[in-house]
Amino acid sequence: MKPRVLSGIQPTGSLHIGNYLGALKNWVRMQHDYECVFCIVDLHAITLFQEPAELRRKIEQTAAIFLAAGIDPKISSVVVQSTVAAHAELCWLLTCVTPLGWLERMTQFKDKSAKQESISDGLLQYPVLMAADILLYKANAVPVGDDQTQHLELTRDVAQRFNSQYGDTFVMPETKLPMVGARIMGLDDPTKKMSKSETGSNHAVALLDEPSVIRKKIMRATTDSGSGVDFDTMGAGVANLLTIHQAFTGWTDDQIKSHFAGLRYGDLKKTVAEAVVAGLEPIQQRYREITADPAYLKGVLREAAERVAPVANDTVRLVKQRMGIYTD
């Protein structure tokens, strides 16, 4: 049996090259060594208001991008979270054993709640739902970025608390898989990681951007006060552009230094833009093919949900038995 891995992305905003180079590309490699469940976590998305029709469109778009990027539905399960009811059911069961203080200490909750006049209870319970996602499938490992490390630690705490109260039930996620993909920063502010939640028009290159839009965004990318690439003094913006180029082309460090040393910023940006356009072209072509056949995408999502549901339902059934809840 291959170890099982679970990871997910919210169907909000637009998936961008940071998501691809930092996560999706890594998932494509990972799926050959692990039993993978890749979730479109729409239940997480609604902790903040989403326009219903747009959310529905984004769910299908995100699933299609997963497949277009190289996730193979024959060996990996691409699952819309809400189509497996056990996610929500286990979340409630775990909520009942999770101390409020643990949730109030979550950094993301404190950061997000500080920016809003009114917050939903769902935002507070977000980490419990994430714990349910992981524990539901008995995931052995979870590939997460640094911003999710605290949530993974909470998952282990919740699992240990449940096991101590009700007996050995949950498999602990043993490891946090390292994110081996490139860390891509914002084009407008290269000191901050590229994010789907940023609204600036020049912040990110979306995976579905037209070539002309990609070129325009990269030509406007922040560099520094110099005029040409100097590997000894280059700022964060120049370094980010070189990282993007290397991640798309696979060039070695020596190749990067040999080609770009002394190159003027305008020429650097043109070269990076062409590498990005070329790298995204096959993904965009495959995306167009997938979305041209809506029945295919629906079939993939339905079959994946049917494949993972027995594992999820068995977990919920065991948890209910442990807690003394009626099961037939």
Side-chain angles (χ1 to χ4, degrees):
M1 291 286 290
K2 293 181 179 179
R4 185 176 292 138
V5 163
L6 178 130
S7 196
I9 291 179
Q10 289 193 35
T12 55
S14 296
L15 288 173
H16 50 64
I17 60 172
N19 298 126
Y20 173 65
L21 298 174
L24 290 174
K25 195 174 180 182
N26 195 32
W27 292 2
V28 172
R29 291 191 296 264
M30 186 187 304
Q31 67 182 336
H32 300 289
D33 299 316
Y34 297 89
E35 179 189 344
C36 294
V37 179
F38 297 123
C39 281
I40 295 110
V41 288
D42 52 344
L43 296 177
H44 284 286
I46 60 172
T47 55
L48 299 174
F49 174 78
Q50 308 295 331
E51 200 285 317
E54 177 66 5
L55 176 61
R56 202 168 294 115
R57 186 183 72 84
K58 285 290 186 180
I59 290 169
E60 294 183 347
Q61 182 187 83
T62 302
I65 289 175
F66 280 14
L67 301 179
I71 300 299
D72 185 347
K74 293 184 177 64
I75 60 175
S76 298
S77 298
V78 176
V79 180
V80 178
Q81 184 187 30
S82 62
T83 62
V84 180
H87 283 269
E89 189 170 9
L90 183 58
C91 178
W92 173 251
L93 298 173
L94 295 181
T95 295
C96 294
V97 300
T98 304
L100 179 61
W102 290 6
L103 302 178
E104 292 176 332
R105 288 197 298 269
M106 292 292 103
T107 301
Q108 282 198 7
F109 170 72
K110 290 190 288 188
D111 290 347
K112 290 183 178 180
S113 60
K115 299 174 183 177
Q116 302 175 50
E117 292 184 6
S118 175
I119 58 172
S120 71
D121 184 54
L123 193 61
L124 180 68
Q125 302 298 336
Y126 182 110
V128 185
L129 179 57
M130 181 173 169
D133 297 336
I134 296 166
L135 298 174
L136 195 62
Y137 297 109
K138 305 177 177 67
N140 303 101
V142 186
V144 297
D146 292 339
D147 58 336
Q148 293 293 330
T149 297
Q150 191 182 32
H151 288 170
L152 183 57
E153 291 171 351
L154 180 82
T155 297
R156 292 178 58 83
D157 290 341
V158 170
Q160 288 172 342
R161 183 178 175 87
F162 188 97
N163 288 351
S164 68
Q165 290 183 344
Y166 294 105
D168 193 21
T169 304
F170 289 116
V171 174
M172 293 290 178
E174 291 294 337
T175 57
K176 183 192 84 169
L177 290 181
M179 299 294 282
V180 299
R183 182 177 174 85
I184 306 301
M185 314 305 281
L187 296 178
D188 55 348
D189 184 355
T191 66
K192 295 181 180 179
K193 187 178 177 181
M194 191 174 285
S195 170
K196 291 196 287 107
S197 62
E198 290 291 333
T199 57
S201 60
N202 197 50
H203 173 74
V205 172
L207 295 182
L208 300 180
D209 276 345
E210 295 287 340
S212 61
V213 175
I214 294 171
R215 294 184 179 98
K216 185 176 181 180
K217 287 181 177 180
I218 292 178
M219 291 306 295
R220 291 180 175 178
T222 298
T223 50
D224 54 39
S225 58
S227 58
V229 179
D230 184 332
F231 284 88
D232 295 324
T233 63
M234 66 180 176
V238 174
N240 189 42
L241 290 172
L242 293 173
T243 297
I244 292 170
H245 184 278
Q246 187 171 31
F248 271 107
T249 62
W251 284 15
T252 65
D253 290 346
D254 288 342
Q255 286 176 306
I256 291 289
K257 289 181 179 179
S258 174
H259 184 85
F260 288 105
L263 199 68
R264 296 184 65 83
Y265 290 159
D267 293 327
L268 164 67
K269 291 178 179 180
K270 288 178 183 177
T271 305
V272 173
E274 293 313 311
V276 175
V277 168
L280 293 185
E281 194 281 329
I283 296 174
Q284 293 180 353
Q285 176 59 33
R286 179 61 180 143
Y287 176 84
R288 288 190 289 269
E289 293 170 358
I290 291 167
T291 53
D293 183 3
Y296 168 73
L297 183 60
K298 291 181 185 298
V300 166
L301 297 177
R302 182 179 60 256
E303 289 172 10
E306 291 171 351
R307 186 186 308 141
V308 304
V311 176
N313 292 337
D314 283 348
T315 299
V316 169
R317 189 177 302 110
L318 176 61
V319 169
K320 291 167 77 172
Q321 289 172 349
R322 290 280 198 269
M323 297 181 80
I325 294 173
Y326 178 79
T327 55
D328 56 16

